Amino acid sequence: MASSSRPFWTVLTKRLASAATIALLLGMTPLLSGTSAASAARPSPCRNDPTARLSTVPSPEAILGFPLGVGQERVVTNDEVRTYLGAVDSASNRVVTGVLATSVLGQPLPYAVVSNERNVRPAALRKIADDVRDLRDPRRTSARTAARTAKDSPAIVWVTANVHGGEKSGADAALKTLYELAAGLSCAVEQRNDNLVTIIVPTQNPDGRDATRRQNEFGFDLNRDWFARTQQETDGKLELLRRYPPQVFIDAHEMGGREYFFPPNADPIHHEIAGEAVDWINRIGEANKAGFGFNGACDETVTTECYFNYDTYDMFFMGYGDTVPTTGFGAAGMTYEKGSASAVADRVQQQFNTQWSTLGWAATNKHEVLSGYFDIWTDALAQGRAGTLEPNEVVQPTNEVQFPVPDIKIRSYFLLPDRQLADVRQLVERLRRMDVEVYEVQQPTRVPTARVFGGRTATNLTVPKGAYWIPMDQPQKHWIQAIMGEDPYVPFPYFYDVSSWSNPLLMGVSTIYTADNVRPKAELVRKISGGRVASTWPWGSYTYPLDSAAAAEFTFTLLGRGVPLVRDLKTSRVAIPANKLSRTVDELAESLGVSLSPGGRPTGTPLALPEVGLFQGTGISTTSGSHGEARYVLGKRWGLDLTPVTTADINDNTDAFTGRTVLLVPDGSSATGGLTAAGQANLRDWIAQGHTYIGLRNEGTRVARAAGLTSTTEKTKPADYLVIGSHLRVDVDHDSPVALGRPAEDFEFNNGDPILNPSTTGTNVLSYPAGDTFWANGYTVGEDTLKGTAAVVDEPTGAGRAVLFAFNPLFRAYNENGLHLVANALLYPAGAPTAPDARRAPGIDPARASAAAAPVAADLGGGWRPITIEVAAGDLSRTRAVVERFTTDARTSAQGGSAYVVIPNPQGLQVDEHPFARDLVRALNAAKVPLRSVVG
């Protein structure tokens, strides 16, 4: 075997642990132990009887008091999940268990590793994981070694479930799968255990499971968190994936109705997903068809307890539990969805049937899969060296590629260090934690031809020392392009999530890419850079630029610890007195990528920790969306105390409201927040005293408008307007402190947000360019409507201000340039601006009064967006007839030869949780109505 620098992984050992002990375990700590003497001997030969099982391994019924699948009357609780895992682990020498993470509320996320008794021994399990990891790097693994691994090693298959807390049947089925693998004596079980190491994660979201809620405790959809890893449940799971990289990955869900979905998938599929993985996914689909049972395939007459494929569930956005295992780990990543209206027994049994069929296929084809797994990484290396991108393809038989990947080559990305350096370093760490090799440039390097993010080009560009170089000729080429790419190049306009997640654009960092074969003098990054770069005088200071989300986190943490800070309002540099730089502060700066430079005596405007009120009044969901994102970003990461403020608090002027220095109003469904005329007057008076109102997206801007705090109005969206989670260039006005530390041109994320006409009574901090510098990526239609409009405004009232975001800057906590803007608004300097401002006169400005009196736009999309279906204008009547079977609230319009059907979605539900969106699209397809685009 070729030499390798493998990470050392602690191998699981078995030991008993009480439930209380389990709750305290962190990371990859082993959970349970003990091998039953009765189960030590491996029965041989295997049996043809599928019901033959070891009597020493407890059945679900013996521990839970009821069977799983057929005969089951209720779902399993979290405590029962843990209890059953422990019981099986204690009784079976085929199983070891552990904890991959803890939830927000401190619950363990247990997992089980199942195989034959030889494979789960510590040394053997370590070798299997090492050998499979080595397949991912053909530079250190020869073809001969790879062939031997494919012949001798088991493949690794993951069975996960319950990432959405209310979707519970997959977890119960995973326990049934665990039992069969641990206790079964049949030849089918032996084949699976001999040829596979199966990782079972019954619940990825225990807090959501307890609450029967899709989201985790912070209101995050964990099935959108995979690339950013903001939530601890996701982060621990990905670290375990790096330990045991899968070749097959099941993510078991539930949906509406009584049907079942398993792949083949719907379009679009991201172009960087390897063909081998798509082939495996489709062939596993055939195995699932054969093993599904019940009523077989759905058709016009069979509509319950049946399966369907090629519909709704795509593989495009790089935040899903199928796309990330597939693109980042080379697995056949698959979403399985069971209709939640079925009886518990049917839900669990069908989930088990597909899990069991998938394991059977993987066991039968493990040699081919491991051989193909090596080929995936070999091909990625070759593509990276050549600079080639994978082409766009479609998988649904009736679709054709509408948007091909452009004919460009990419051999390198460079992250430039000229600004937002701490966020640049955080991006480097995000890449490294997905096994991407990143290098720090040691001397200036000339790039003959470069593409600059934002649609521009440059020639003979000099990349400075300190930049970060990401060469594409490495095994993770597919993953690099998938999350770094300036555009994801959607092949077909069906969208169930966002159309852009380019990490450099989300972070707003300077980035270029090139087809040139440049090889700078550079060193592999092995740890994050940051902290003190040199010493200063005892009376001096250490300074850093507050120009990034990471620097904002550092700032709030220091303020929370009582460290005095001052900020230069021209340069946005913050100074720390030299005598306050302790070892822990230095280590914190290093962990966040913040460099501390020596400076003179600290001078500038003092920074104060804000007293933040978080609005949870009329129209606000406290279990999802930007309210939860605020609790996570401001509360957990930035350490701010958030006081709940209700509608009644503002209407009645209670201490909960008046005692705050900042009020943050998240996105929601109300245009007034329920404020009375007295409450609106109270809000204006409170701001005039020198306080800050921060309003996000729909409700945050509309409450401000209704209260007479802004002259912005909402511009009507044309019928064909679609901006589906895209990035756009914005111009930055530095007259407002909200813009401190941002570049003159920046990028912001827009997800069908309200379009704000510019303010005439405040500063338009971010505006979409009106001229030819306007630029957008992702999938947009009619985006020119945004030209000249405002994305962020700073509206003064008395000594205070309202800072209004047309978009959600806290979106999924991965929009780092938006987070920095929120930090600037929270730290808005008292009394700024100092010059007299006529706009701060008492009373309501006439322009603001006029804006408040304007009609309020209908809330069609809630915290997400409405469902929009585009068809040919001539197909509108047929389309309307189908739509009316599902809803009478749809709005229709026509423009440019297309007709648009807009279905209100005031609860902000995504397609996979919407009560009829999926069925509607299928009905339109069944009626043979050609769909030009679908946006949900």
Side-chain angles (χ1 to χ4, degrees), residues 419-738:
R419 56 182 176 81
Q420 282 76 50
L421 182 56
D423 281 349
V424 168
R425 289 168 172 164
Q426 291 299 314
L427 178 51
V428 168
E429 289 306 290
R430 182 180 291 172
L431 291 165
R432 290 196 331 111
R433 296 186 71 217
M434 281 294 286
D435 304 307
V436 174
E437 296 163 3
V438 183
Y439 298 80
E440 185 172 352
V441 176
Q442 299 301 300
Q443 64 183 31
T445 301
R446 186 177 67 88
V447 177
T449 305
R451 292 177 179 265
V452 182
F453 268 53
R456 293 171 175 158
T457 59
T459 57
N460 293 321
L461 187 148
T462 298
V463 173
K465 177 182 178 181
Y468 291 95
W469 173 45
I470 305 155
M472 293 288 273
D473 60 339
Q474 58 176 296
Q476 279 289 51
K477 174 260 178 181
H478 294 311
W479 181 249
I480 294 168
Q481 183 59 29
I483 70 162
M484 290 287 292
E486 186 180 24
D487 196 291
Y489 305 126
V490 64
F492 196 84
Y494 281 14
F495 292 97
Y496 304 117
D497 204 82
V498 300
S499 69
S500 174
W501 53 89
S502 169
N503 279 216
L505 293 174
L506 284 167
M507 290 190 165
V509 299
S510 294
T511 307
I512 67 166
Y513 54 104
T514 182
D516 298 331
N517 194 8
V518 293
R519 309 298 295 185
K521 182 180 180 182
E523 293 183 358
L524 182 67
V525 176
R526 299 188 184 277
K527 67 175 187 175
I528 193 169
S529 298
R532 182 172 55 183
V533 299
S535 298
T536 189
W537 297 102
W539 44 262
S541 64
Y542 291 94
T543 71
Y544 62 91
L546 179 42
D547 66 348
S548 62
E553 183 171 343
F554 182 62
T555 300
F556 287 120
T557 303
L558 294 189
L559 290 173
R561 295 178 181 177
V563 177
L565 302 176
V566 293
R567 186 183 194 184
D568 186 320
L569 298 185
K570 293 182 178 179
T571 65
S572 193
R573 293 193 72 86
V574 174
I576 308 169
N579 61 1
K580 298 296 183 181
L581 185 65
S582 64
R583 181 176 178 179
T584 57
V585 169
D586 193 29
E587 290 174 348
L588 176 65
E590 181 179 8
S591 71
L592 291 169
V594 177
S595 291
L596 304 177
S597 303
R601 296 187 185 279
T603 58
T605 301
L607 293 178
L609 198 68
E611 296 285 341
V612 182
L614 180 59
F615 186 65
Q616 58 181 47
T618 303
I620 302 296
S621 168
T622 60
T623 59
S624 63
S626 55
H627 185 280
E629 290 155 357
R631 289 190 291 116
Y632 170 70
V633 174
L634 277 67
K636 181 176 175 60
R637 280 175 47 179
W638 293 353
L640 301 177
D641 290 330
L642 303 179
T643 300
V645 175
T646 66
T647 299
D649 287 327
I650 300 176
N651 286 339
D652 299 337
N653 239 16
T654 70
D655 289 342
F657 165 54
T658 60
R660 305 309 108 210
T661 60
V662 175
L663 177 67
L664 190 148
V665 178
D667 190 16
S669 59
S670 174
T672 65
L675 299 187
T676 62
Q680 292 172 341
N682 291 339
L683 182 59
R684 290 192 300 271
D685 291 344
W686 173 83
I687 293 173
Q689 295 168 27
H691 300 137
T692 300
Y693 172 103
I694 300 175
L696 309 186
R697 206 168 180 259
N698 289 311
E699 181 156 349
T701 58
R702 291 169 181 171
V703 169
R705 185 177 300 110
L709 297 172
T710 180
S711 57
T712 62
T713 55
E714 289 190 31
K715 187 175 182 178
T716 302
K717 297 173 182 176
D720 62 346
Y721 176 82
L722 292 172
V723 176
I724 307 166
S726 304
H727 280 98
L728 296 100
R729 178 179 285 114
V730 288
D731 293 328
V732 181
D733 188 338
H734 287 93
D735 285 347
S736 167
V738 176

Side-chain angles (χ1 to χ4, degrees), residues 317-332:
F317 171 57
M318 285 295 141
Y320 293 148
D322 51 13
T323 53
V324 174
T326 304
T327 316
F329 293 92

Side-chain angles (χ1 to χ4, degrees), residues 322-347:
D322 51 13
T323 53
V324 174
T326 304
T327 316
F329 293 92
M334 298 168 293
T335 294
Y336 292 175
E337 298 267 357
K338 170 56 194 164
S340 59
S342 295
V344 171
D346 291 340
R347 300 203 314 265

